[in-house]
Amino acid sequence: MSNCFHLAVEAGDLDVTSKWYTDVLGCDLDMAEEGKWQDIDFFGNELTLHSSTPRTGKGPDRSRHHVDMGAVCVPHFGIHLNDADYQRVRASVQAHGGFLDEPYVRFADTDYQQETFFVEDPNYNVLEIKQMAKGHLGKDLQFD
């Protein structure tokens, strides 16, 4: 994994949810402790799925927050992808059950223009997948 972000989430059925991340999003498996947790190479970041009692619904901790383009589901996590990866993931999500929120364009004709969609994993964790028209938030990343 090349980036430095780490997130751990409840996965419910670890096998089912791990398979969704590999088969639908195209992520690779990494380290694991059999039956307890599974690391996912989430586009260069470390996503750890923890075995848990599977959720039976969306849960009371989720709500919709009103922003410029509508009401987004919170909490959620996500990733900014280049256009080729975004199009591949978008097509795969569409083919494997579809979207929580359909793809749409935000901030059209600005440095922050992006196409984004929301999807749920099998344990109802919400992900936002984005493609930034001009790269990362309209800026070039530089690390010293």
Side-chain angles (χ1 to χ4, degrees):
M1 292 179 227
S2 60
N3 292 324
C4 54
F5 186 78
H6 166 71
L7 177 68
V9 298
E10 291 183 340
D13 184 315
L14 192 55
D15 292 332
V16 169
T17 302
S18 295
K19 186 169 176 46
W20 184 85
Y21 280 89
T22 59
D23 293 357
V24 177
L25 297 186
C27 297
D28 292 322
L29 300 178
D30 204 9
M31 291 180 54
E33 184 175 352
E34 184 69 31
K36 294 187 177 186
W37 56 268
Q38 173 68 59
D39 281 348
I40 302 291
D41 182 343
F42 187 68
F43 306 99
N45 297 285
E46 182 184 61
L47 174 63
T48 303
L49 304 176
H50 285 268
S51 181
S52 63
T53 301
R55 294 183 184 122
T56 58
K58 298 179 187 326
D61 57 326
R62 286 176 44 176
S63 62
R64 292 280 182 160
H65 289 232
H66 294 278
V67 295
D68 63 292
M69 78 302 176
V72 299
C73 195
V74 176
H76 68 265
F77 67 95
I79 192 75
H80 297 189
L81 298 176
N82 65 45
D83 188 56
D85 288 338
Y86 176 84
Q87 297 303 331
R88 178 187 54 76
V89 170
R90 177 183 164 170
S92 181
V93 167
Q94 180 68 49
H96 289 91
F99 308 96
L100 175 63
D101 293 336
E102 295 284 331
Y104 54 90
V105 174
R106 296 179 70 189
F107 312 118
D109 302 319
T110 73
D111 285 347
Y112 298 92
Q113 181 173 319
Q114 58 190 262
E115 183 174 322
T116 187
F117 65 84
F118 289 79
V119 64
E120 293 172 306
D121 75 13
N123 202 44
Y124 298 103
N125 295 302
V126 177
L127 291 79
E128 181 179 13
I129 311 294
K130 295 182 179 192
Q131 178 274 336
M132 306 299 290
K134 295 188 177 182
H136 180 78
L137 298 178
K139 303 172 188 171
D140 292 327
L141 291 179
Q142 296 180 353
F143 298 95
D144 295 327

